[in-house]
Tab-separated table of all heavy atoms in Angstrom:
chain	number	residue	atom	x	y	z
Y	133	ALA	N	98.458	166.117	52.277
Y	133	ALA	CA	98.841	164.775	52.718
Y	133	ALA	C	99.070	164.743	54.233
Y	133	ALA	O	98.593	163.832	54.926
Y	133	ALA	CB	100.093	164.318	51.983
Y	134	ALA	N	99.787	165.748	54.763
Y	134	ALA	CA	100.074	165.785	56.199
Y	134	ALA	C	98.805	166.031	57.011
Y	134	ALA	O	98.564	165.376	58.030
Y	134	ALA	CB	101.112	166.876	56.495
Y	135	GLU	N	97.988	166.978	56.550
Y	135	GLU	CA	96.755	167.283	57.275
Y	135	GLU	C	95.784	166.115	57.197
Y	135	GLU	O	95.054	165.819	58.153
Y	135	GLU	CB	96.107	168.536	56.683
Y	135	GLU	CG	95.132	169.231	57.584
Y	135	GLU	CD	95.798	169.903	58.779
Y	135	GLU	OE1	96.558	170.856	58.572
Y	135	GLU	OE2	95.542	169.461	59.916
Y	136	GLY	N	95.789	165.424	56.054
Y	136	GLY	CA	94.923	164.256	55.910
Y	136	GLY	C	95.300	163.143	56.864
Y	136	GLY	O	94.438	162.456	57.408
Y	137	THR	N	96.604	162.976	57.096
Y	137	THR	CA	97.066	161.971	58.047
Y	137	THR	C	96.598	162.299	59.463
Y	137	THR	O	96.109	161.436	60.199
Y	137	THR	CB	98.605	161.871	58.023
Y	137	THR	OG1	99.031	161.526	56.699
Y	137	THR	CG2	99.095	160.821	59.006
Y	138	SER	N	96.744	163.585	59.831
Y	138	SER	CA	96.287	164.019	61.154
Y	138	SER	C	94.775	163.842	61.286
Y	138	SER	O	94.274	163.375	62.320
Y	138	SER	CB	96.660	165.491	61.370
Y	138	SER	OG	96.084	165.994	62.557
Y	139	PHE	N	94.044	164.182	60.233
Y	139	PHE	CA	92.583	164.038	60.250
Y	139	PHE	C	92.185	162.569	60.386
Y	139	PHE	O	91.234	162.245	61.105
Y	139	PHE	CB	92.006	164.627	58.965
Y	139	PHE	CG	90.509	164.505	58.858
Y	139	PHE	CD1	89.677	165.359	59.568
Y	139	PHE	CD2	89.931	163.547	58.042
Y	139	PHE	CE1	88.293	165.252	59.477
Y	139	PHE	CE2	88.552	163.435	57.949
Y	139	PHE	CZ	87.738	164.294	58.663
Y	140	PHE	N	92.932	161.681	59.726
Y	140	PHE	CA	92.640	160.251	59.800
Y	140	PHE	C	92.820	159.725	61.227
Y	140	PHE	O	92.006	158.948	61.716
Y	140	PHE	CB	93.547	159.475	58.840
Y	140	PHE	CG	93.409	157.985	58.943
Y	140	PHE	CD1	92.322	157.332	58.394
Y	140	PHE	CD2	94.369	157.233	59.611
Y	140	PHE	CE1	92.180	155.951	58.502
Y	140	PHE	CE2	94.249	155.860	59.728
Y	140	PHE	CZ	93.153	155.219	59.168
Y	141	VAL	N	93.889	160.172	61.903
Y	141	VAL	CA	94.133	159.749	63.284
Y	141	VAL	C	92.988	160.219	64.190
Y	141	VAL	O	92.455	159.445	64.997
Y	141	VAL	CB	95.486	160.299	63.792
Y	141	VAL	CG1	95.649	160.018	65.288
Y	141	VAL	CG2	96.634	159.681	63.020
Y	142	ALA	N	92.612	161.503	64.053
Y	142	ALA	CA	91.531	162.039	64.886
Y	142	ALA	C	90.205	161.362	64.568
Y	142	ALA	O	89.426	161.025	65.468
Y	142	ALA	CB	91.417	163.553	64.684
Y	143	MET	N	89.924	161.140	63.283
Y	143	MET	CA	88.658	160.521	62.889
Y	143	MET	C	88.570	159.076	63.383
Y	143	MET	O	87.502	158.627	63.823
Y	143	MET	CB	88.516	160.567	61.369
Y	143	MET	CG	87.235	159.912	60.845
Y	143	MET	SD	85.727	160.677	61.516
Y	143	MET	CE	85.647	162.143	60.466
Y	144	ARG	N	89.685	158.358	63.322
Y	144	ARG	CA	89.676	156.967	63.784
Y	144	ARG	C	89.341	156.894	65.270
Y	144	ARG	O	88.546	156.047	65.695
Y	144	ARG	CB	91.035	156.327	63.506
Y	144	ARG	CG	91.111	154.840	63.864
Y	144	ARG	CD	92.454	154.268	63.479
Y	144	ARG	NE	93.542	154.984	64.136
Y	144	ARG	CZ	94.826	154.780	63.869
Y	144	ARG	NH1	95.177	153.900	62.945
Y	144	ARG	NH2	95.754	155.468	64.504
Y	145	GLN	N	89.928	157.777	66.065
Y	145	GLN	CA	89.645	157.771	67.496
Y	145	GLN	C	88.224	158.252	67.780
Y	145	GLN	O	87.536	157.723	68.657
Y	145	GLN	CB	90.666	158.639	68.232
Y	145	GLN	CG	92.086	158.089	68.146
Y	145	GLN	CD	93.066	158.900	68.966
Y	145	GLN	OE1	92.699	159.816	69.676
Y	145	GLN	NE2	94.345	158.567	68.853
Y	146	PHE	N	87.789	159.258	67.022
Y	146	PHE	CA	86.429	159.765	67.205
Y	146	PHE	C	85.409	158.695	66.825
Y	146	PHE	O	84.401	158.515	67.505
Y	146	PHE	CB	86.229	161.020	66.365
Y	146	PHE	CG	84.834	161.563	66.393
Y	146	PHE	CD1	84.355	162.239	67.511
Y	146	PHE	CD2	83.981	161.399	65.313
Y	146	PHE	CE1	83.067	162.735	67.541
Y	146	PHE	CE2	82.696	161.896	65.338
Y	146	PHE	CZ	82.236	162.564	66.453
Y	147	TRP	N	85.664	157.965	65.747
Y	147	TRP	CA	84.735	156.940	65.283
Y	147	TRP	C	84.602	155.818	66.317
Y	147	TRP	O	83.526	155.260	66.502
Y	147	TRP	CB	85.210	156.371	63.955
Y	147	TRP	CG	84.073	155.977	63.048
Y	147	TRP	CD1	83.582	154.727	62.819
Y	147	TRP	CD2	83.272	156.860	62.256
Y	147	TRP	NE1	82.529	154.782	61.932
Y	147	TRP	CE2	82.313	156.065	61.569
Y	147	TRP	CE3	83.274	158.239	62.066
Y	147	TRP	CZ2	81.376	156.615	60.711
Y	147	TRP	CZ3	82.341	158.785	61.203
Y	147	TRP	CH2	81.413	157.973	60.549
Y	148	ALA	N	85.721	155.515	66.981
Y	148	ALA	CA	85.689	154.471	68.009
Y	148	ALA	C	84.872	154.909	69.222
Y	148	ALA	O	84.320	154.073	69.946
Y	148	ALA	CB	87.110	154.118	68.430
Y	149	GLU	N	84.778	156.225	69.445
Y	149	GLU	CA	84.084	156.731	70.623
Y	149	GLU	C	82.620	157.058	70.376
Y	149	GLU	O	81.812	157.041	71.309
Y	149	GLU	CB	84.779	158.006	71.138
Y	149	GLU	CG	86.181	157.789	71.680
Y	149	GLU	CD	86.171	157.043	72.997
Y	149	GLU	OE1	85.131	157.060	73.679
Y	149	GLU	OE2	87.188	156.427	73.329
Y	150	LYS	N	82.265	157.366	69.135
Y	150	LYS	CA	80.934	157.904	68.893
Y	150	LYS	C	79.830	156.849	68.984
Y	150	LYS	O	78.662	157.194	69.187
Y	150	LYS	CB	80.874	158.595	67.529
Y	150	LYS	CG	80.705	157.677	66.337
Y	150	LYS	CD	80.614	158.452	65.057
Y	150	LYS	CE	80.206	157.573	63.880
Y	150	LYS	NZ	78.830	157.072	64.011
Y	151	GLY	N	80.195	155.552	68.843
Y	151	GLY	CA	79.192	154.500	68.953
Y	151	GLY	C	78.184	154.538	67.827
Y	151	GLY	O	78.526	154.792	66.668
Y	152	LYS	N	76.919	154.341	68.177
Y	152	LYS	CA	75.861	154.221	67.165
Y	152	LYS	C	75.350	155.565	66.677
Y	152	LYS	O	74.547	155.633	65.738
Y	152	LYS	CB	74.694	153.423	67.738
Y	152	LYS	CG	74.053	154.101	68.954
Y	152	LYS	CD	72.922	153.252	69.528
Y	152	LYS	CE	72.313	153.942	70.751
Y	152	LYS	NZ	71.216	153.155	71.341
Y	153	HIS	N	75.793	156.653	67.299
Y	153	HIS	CA	75.259	157.967	66.959
Y	153	HIS	C	75.937	158.526	65.704
Y	153	HIS	O	77.052	158.158	65.362
Y	153	HIS	CB	75.455	158.932	68.121
Y	153	HIS	CG	74.860	158.460	69.408
Y	153	HIS	ND1	73.503	158.432	69.631
Y	153	HIS	CD2	75.443	157.969	70.535
Y	153	HIS	CE1	73.264	157.956	70.844
Y	153	HIS	NE2	74.423	157.669	71.410
Y	154	SER	N	75.253	159.463	65.036
Y	154	SER	CA	75.856	160.157	63.908
Y	154	SER	C	76.977	161.057	64.406
Y	154	SER	O	77.079	161.348	65.606
Y	154	SER	CB	74.803	160.994	63.180
Y	154	SER	OG	74.346	162.048	64.023
Y	155	ALA	N	77.834	161.514	63.482
Y	155	ALA	CA	78.980	162.331	63.876
Y	155	ALA	C	78.535	163.616	64.567
Y	155	ALA	O	79.060	163.992	65.630
Y	155	ALA	CB	79.834	162.652	62.647
Y	156	VAL	N	77.548	164.307	63.974
Y	156	VAL	CA	77.073	165.563	64.568
Y	156	VAL	C	76.436	165.304	65.929
Y	156	VAL	O	76.678	166.033	66.902
Y	156	VAL	CB	76.077	166.264	63.624
Y	156	VAL	CG1	75.467	167.491	64.302
Y	156	VAL	CG2	76.751	166.656	62.318
Y	157	ARG	N	75.637	164.242	66.018
Y	157	ARG	CA	74.986	163.892	67.280
Y	157	ARG	C	76.025	163.544	68.340
Y	157	ARG	O	75.894	163.923	69.514
Y	157	ARG	CB	74.046	162.704	67.045
Y	157	ARG	CG	73.378	162.141	68.288
Y	157	ARG	CD	72.339	163.058	68.839
Y	157	ARG	NE	71.594	162.425	69.918
Y	157	ARG	CZ	70.911	163.081	70.824
Y	157	ARG	NH1	70.867	164.396	70.783
Y	157	ARG	NH2	70.251	162.451	71.775
Y	158	ALA	N	77.068	162.826	67.940
Y	158	ALA	CA	78.114	162.444	68.881
Y	158	ALA	C	78.851	163.668	69.411
Y	158	ALA	O	79.190	163.746	70.598
Y	158	ALA	CB	79.093	161.485	68.218
Y	159	ILE	N	79.110	164.639	68.544
Y	159	ILE	CA	79.779	165.866	68.979
Y	159	ILE	C	78.900	166.620	69.964
Y	159	ILE	O	79.375	167.122	70.993
Y	159	ILE	CB	80.129	166.752	67.769
Y	159	ILE	CG1	81.251	166.100	66.944
Y	159	ILE	CG2	80.557	168.149	68.217
Y	159	ILE	CD1	81.567	166.821	65.659
Y	160	ARG	N	77.597	166.712	69.665
Y	160	ARG	CA	76.692	167.434	70.544
Y	160	ARG	C	76.569	166.755	71.909
Y	160	ARG	O	76.374	167.420	72.927
Y	160	ARG	CB	75.297	167.534	69.913
Y	160	ARG	CG	75.235	168.280	68.586
Y	160	ARG	CD	75.787	169.696	68.686
Y	160	ARG	NE	75.120	170.496	69.665
Y	160	ARG	CZ	74.047	171.257	69.397
Y	160	ARG	NH1	73.567	171.301	68.176
Y	160	ARG	NH2	73.502	171.989	70.338
Y	161	ARG	N	76.698	165.426	71.949
Y	161	ARG	CA	76.586	164.681	73.199
Y	161	ARG	C	77.905	164.635	73.973
Y	161	ARG	O	77.907	164.410	75.177
Y	161	ARG	CB	76.153	163.240	72.906
Y	161	ARG	CG	74.723	163.094	72.446
Y	161	ARG	CD	74.479	161.726	71.843
Y	161	ARG	NE	74.777	160.656	72.785
Y	161	ARG	CZ	73.883	160.047	73.539
Y	161	ARG	NH1	72.621	160.395	73.458
Y	161	ARG	NH2	74.228	159.071	74.348
Y	162	SER	N	79.013	164.833	73.284
Y	162	SER	CA	80.320	164.673	73.917
Y	162	SER	C	80.563	165.748	74.973
Y	162	SER	O	80.232	166.917	74.775
Y	162	SER	CB	81.423	164.733	72.854
Y	162	SER	OG	82.703	164.701	73.459
Y	163	LYS	N	81.160	165.345	76.086
Y	163	LYS	CA	81.538	166.286	77.143
Y	163	LYS	C	83.041	166.517	77.173
Y	163	LYS	O	83.551	167.199	78.064
Y	163	LYS	CB	81.070	165.756	78.506
Y	163	LYS	CG	79.597	165.363	78.550
Y	163	LYS	CD	78.666	166.492	78.151
Y	163	LYS	CE	77.211	166.043	78.175
Y	163	LYS	NZ	76.272	167.101	77.749
Y	164	ASP	N	83.761	165.929	76.211
Y	164	ASP	CA	85.207	166.110	76.113
Y	164	ASP	C	85.497	166.882	74.830
Y	164	ASP	O	85.392	166.334	73.736
Y	164	ASP	CB	85.918	164.753	76.087
Y	164	ASP	CG	87.427	164.901	75.984
Y	164	ASP	OD1	87.909	166.054	75.993
Y	164	ASP	OD2	88.123	163.883	75.904
Y	165	PRO	N	85.847	168.180	74.938
Y	165	PRO	CA	86.017	168.997	73.736
Y	165	PRO	C	87.327	168.767	72.997
Y	165	PRO	O	87.488	169.248	71.879
Y	165	PRO	CB	85.959	170.427	74.293
Y	165	PRO	CG	86.549	170.296	75.668
Y	165	PRO	CD	86.088	168.939	76.176
Y	166	THR	N	88.279	168.043	73.597
Y	166	THR	CA	89.609	167.966	72.995
Y	166	THR	C	89.593	167.268	71.643
Y	166	THR	O	90.135	167.784	70.659
Y	166	THR	CB	90.578	167.238	73.943
Y	166	THR	OG1	90.018	165.968	74.325
Y	166	THR	CG2	90.808	168.052	75.207
Y	167	LEU	N	88.954	166.112	71.575
Y	167	LEU	CA	89.003	165.343	70.333
Y	167	LEU	C	88.174	165.995	69.234
Y	167	LEU	O	88.625	166.119	68.098
Y	167	LEU	CB	88.531	163.908	70.574
Y	167	LEU	CG	88.676	162.954	69.374
Y	167	LEU	CD1	90.098	162.958	68.851
Y	167	LEU	CD2	88.263	161.545	69.770
Y	168	PHE	N	86.945	166.444	69.557
Y	168	PHE	CA	86.146	167.032	68.475
Y	168	PHE	C	86.687	168.398	68.058
Y	168	PHE	O	86.462	168.847	66.933
Y	168	PHE	CB	84.644	167.063	68.798
Y	168	PHE	CG	84.185	168.042	69.843
Y	168	PHE	CD1	84.195	169.396	69.612
Y	168	PHE	CD2	83.676	167.591	71.054
Y	168	PHE	CE1	83.729	170.297	70.553
Y	168	PHE	CE2	83.208	168.473	72.001
Y	168	PHE	CZ	83.239	169.840	71.756
Y	169	THR	N	87.446	169.080	68.939
Y	169	THR	CA	88.094	170.326	68.534
Y	169	THR	C	89.183	170.048	67.517
Y	169	THR	O	89.293	170.739	66.495
Y	169	THR	CB	88.679	171.052	69.757
Y	169	THR	OG1	87.620	171.423	70.649
Y	169	THR	CG2	89.425	172.314	69.336
Y	170	VAL	N	90.023	169.043	67.789
Y	170	VAL	CA	91.071	168.664	66.838
Y	170	VAL	C	90.450	168.201	65.528
Y	170	VAL	O	90.919	168.557	64.435
Y	170	VAL	CB	91.964	167.553	67.431
Y	170	VAL	CG1	92.934	167.024	66.381
Y	170	VAL	CG2	92.733	168.081	68.637
Y	171	LEU	N	89.384	167.425	65.624
Y	171	LEU	CA	88.713	166.934	64.421
Y	171	LEU	C	88.162	168.093	63.598
Y	171	LEU	O	88.306	168.124	62.363
Y	171	LEU	CB	87.594	165.979	64.822
Y	171	LEU	CG	86.891	165.216	63.697
Y	171	LEU	CD1	87.870	164.276	63.005
Y	171	LEU	CD2	85.717	164.419	64.258
Y	172	ALA	N	87.531	169.053	64.255
Y	172	ALA	CA	86.981	170.210	63.556
Y	172	ALA	C	88.090	171.045	62.931
Y	172	ALA	O	87.959	171.538	61.797
Y	172	ALA	CB	86.159	171.062	64.527
Side-chain angles (χ1 to χ4, degrees):
E135 200 69 66
T137 301
S138 172
F139 179 77
F140 175 76
V141 172
M143 179 59 79
R144 184 176 58 187
Q145 295 184 5
F146 175 75
W147 213 259
E149 294 289 338
K150 80 178 190 67
K152 62 182 179 180
H153 304 288
S154 66
V156 174
R157 175 71 172 160
I159 290 174
R160 299 303 302 270
R161 289 165 58 96
S162 175
K163 308 304 179 182
D164 180 3
T166 53
L167 186 54
F168 71 70
T169 297
V170 172
L171 188 64

